[in-house]
Amino acid sequence: KALGPFCASATVTEVFPRRGLKAERPAALFSRYCPTTTSPDPAAAWAHLQARAIPGDALLATGSLFLIGALYPVREAADRIRVPGPQP
């Protein structure tokens, strides 16, 4: 409820599906505010979001430390790819 009004879209995923919350529950909350999809694979969901992001977009991963752990290898791979652009 706190994030939904600020999102242009939401992708909800699951980590440890037998233990964690099913993606459909938080997706139903987000769908009140923005287009929402679910994805069973956190890394695939993040890769999809990165591929469709345009300059100026902000991607936010929020949830448990298990989710961050699932996304960490994806981040490491992205760090190895250097995108040309303005430097700070």
Side-chain angles (χ1 to χ4, degrees):
K1 293 178 183 180
L3 291 175
F6 301 100
C7 295
S9 67
T11 300
V12 182
T13 190
E14 299 175 7
V15 181
F16 302 119
R18 285 176 252 153
R19 291 183 50 198
L21 189 64
K22 292 290 186 190
E24 290 77 15
R25 288 182 58 197
L29 294 173
F30 275 103
S31 68
R32 297 176 189 168
Y33 302 101
C34 61
T36 304
T37 60
T38 60
S39 175
D41 180 2
W46 189 257
H48 174 75
L49 292 171
Q50 286 182 311
R52 68 175 245 220
I54 60 172
D57 282 354
L59 302 179
L60 171 68
T62 183
S64 70
L65 289 177
F66 293 112
L67 175 61
I68 301 307
L71 294 177
Y72 198 80
V74 178
R75 181 189 164 273
E76 286 182 324
D79 283 350
R80 290 190 291 270
I81 300 169
R82 297 290 175 216
V83 178
Q87 301 298 315

